[in-house]
Amino acid sequence: MEAKVVLQSRTPTGTSSRGVNKQRCSPVRAVLARPAESVVGSGTKERLMLKLKPADSKREVAQDSSSVHNDNWFDLWAINYLSQSLQAATGVKSMLSGYESLVETTAMMSKKFNTKTQQELVIQVLDTAIPKLILNMIKTLLPQCQFTREYFAAFTTVFFAWLIGPSEVRESELNGRREKNVVYVKKCRFLEQSNCVGMCINLCKMPSQAFIKDSLGMPLNMVPRKREKNNNSKE
């Protein structure tokens, strides 16, 4: 599984939650894709894209799930903080530790609550994790521009590897110019270890889009991309 994230600029007018799924009003988008594929922005709006490539088979998922992540002290703190916060907000309890605890907690959430409630609970936890004062400062000090998109991309690779796995900054063409606003994720750690598209959508994709758009002022749209057909395969 592979992933890309591309930043875009915010639309001038507010949009409803339904509008987030439309490219023209979604500065951020996540899509499953191949590593060699280039990312090109379209239209007058700029966006953030996260591209993920699904496993070719269940066997591949099983093999990928054995990937080793050497979490440092910060990674472990962030993982445990998120896991414990989700457990406190939902009432579920995991006896595991580390990333396994986070995956088990989200798995129990997906079984206990409907999709809408799952998304609302994650947004609630994210809202309480960062003080409102800091969020407001970010929106004020980092208005939508090329610098902000590139800054967000670089920030993601450094501080969120514990959640999404190793990543790197790449360029994409937006509005006819090149920007280092793409975060290329080789393997999405959460999707890889949860091995569940539903959990990915309702416990990561949808709440992340809403939180980043409403709290940081950076509309995000994560769009799964279908696997490309093998050239040798029959139609």
Side-chain angles (χ1 to χ4, degrees):
M1 290 173 285
E2 299 154 351
K4 281 186 183 177
V5 181
V6 182
L7 294 161
Q8 293 186 322
S9 65
R10 180 175 52 184
T11 52
T13 58
T15 59
S16 64
S17 59
R18 175 180 297 180
V20 175
N21 292 325
K22 298 182 179 179
Q23 180 176 347
R24 61 180 300 178
C25 54
S26 297
V28 185
R29 185 174 62 180
V31 182
L32 300 174
R34 295 183 181 279
E37 182 178 348
S38 61
V39 182
V40 181
S42 61
T44 59
K45 304 303 175 185
E46 298 171 353
R47 58 173 182 258
L48 169 61
M49 301 171 60
L50 174 57
K51 295 197 170 182
L52 308 172
K53 177 186 175 184
D56 293 331
S57 64
K58 293 182 179 179
R59 182 177 181 180
E60 181 178 332
V61 171
Q63 292 175 343
D64 287 344
S65 63
S66 62
S67 298
V68 177
H69 296 274
N70 297 315
D71 297 314
N72 57 34
W73 68 269
F74 174 80
D75 299 331
L76 293 174
W77 174 83
I79 292 169
N80 289 325
Y81 179 84
L82 179 57
S83 178
Q84 292 297 324
S85 296
L86 289 172
Q87 292 178 46
T90 61
V92 302
K93 184 65 176 178
S94 172
M95 301 304 294
L96 301 178
S97 61
Y99 209 87
E100 291 182 344
S101 174
L102 177 60
V103 173
E104 183 179 55
T105 298
T106 52
M108 289 188 286
M109 288 176 60
S110 67
K111 295 179 180 179
K112 183 177 181 180
F113 305 102
N114 60 42
T115 56
K116 181 179 179 181
T117 303
Q118 291 174 40
Q119 297 169 24
E120 292 174 344
L121 287 170
V122 173
I123 293 174
Q124 174 185 322
V125 169
L126 294 176
D127 278 334
T128 57
I130 307 176
K132 291 293 184 181
L133 177 61
I134 294 180
L135 293 175
N136 291 332
M137 287 178 61
I138 293 176
K139 295 173 68 174
T140 301
L141 298 176
L142 295 174
Q144 299 310 308
C145 62
Q146 179 178 346
F147 171 78
T148 301
R149 292 186 291 275
E150 295 186 342
Y151 177 82
F152 271 52
F155 185 89
T156 300
T157 63
V158 175
F159 292 101
F160 287 94
W162 59 271
L163 179 61
I164 62 177
S167 60
E168 62 185 42
V169 175
R170 293 188 178 184
E171 286 188 341
S172 72
E173 183 177 343
L174 295 174
N175 295 330
R177 63 186 179 188
R178 304 294 296 181
E179 293 185 6
K180 293 183 178 180
N181 56 7
V182 176
V183 177
Y184 185 83
V185 185
K186 298 177 181 179
K187 292 182 180 180
C188 178
R189 186 177 185 181
F190 183 72
L191 178 59
E192 176 188 31
Q193 295 198 17
S194 66
N195 192 22
C196 179
V197 175
M199 288 173 59
C200 177
I201 292 175
N202 297 305
L203 295 169
C204 182
K205 168 183 157 58
M206 299 303 293
S208 294
Q209 290 178 173
F211 175 76
I212 294 176
K213 175 180 179 294
D214 297 336
S215 299
L216 298 178
M218 177 68 72
L220 168 67
N221 185 23
M222 304 169 71
V223 184
R225 179 187 179 90
K226 295 181 179 179
R227 279 199 311 273
E228 297 179 5
K229 293 184 178 179
N230 190 312
N231 294 330
N232 297 325
S233 63
K234 297 181 180 179
E235 293 293 338

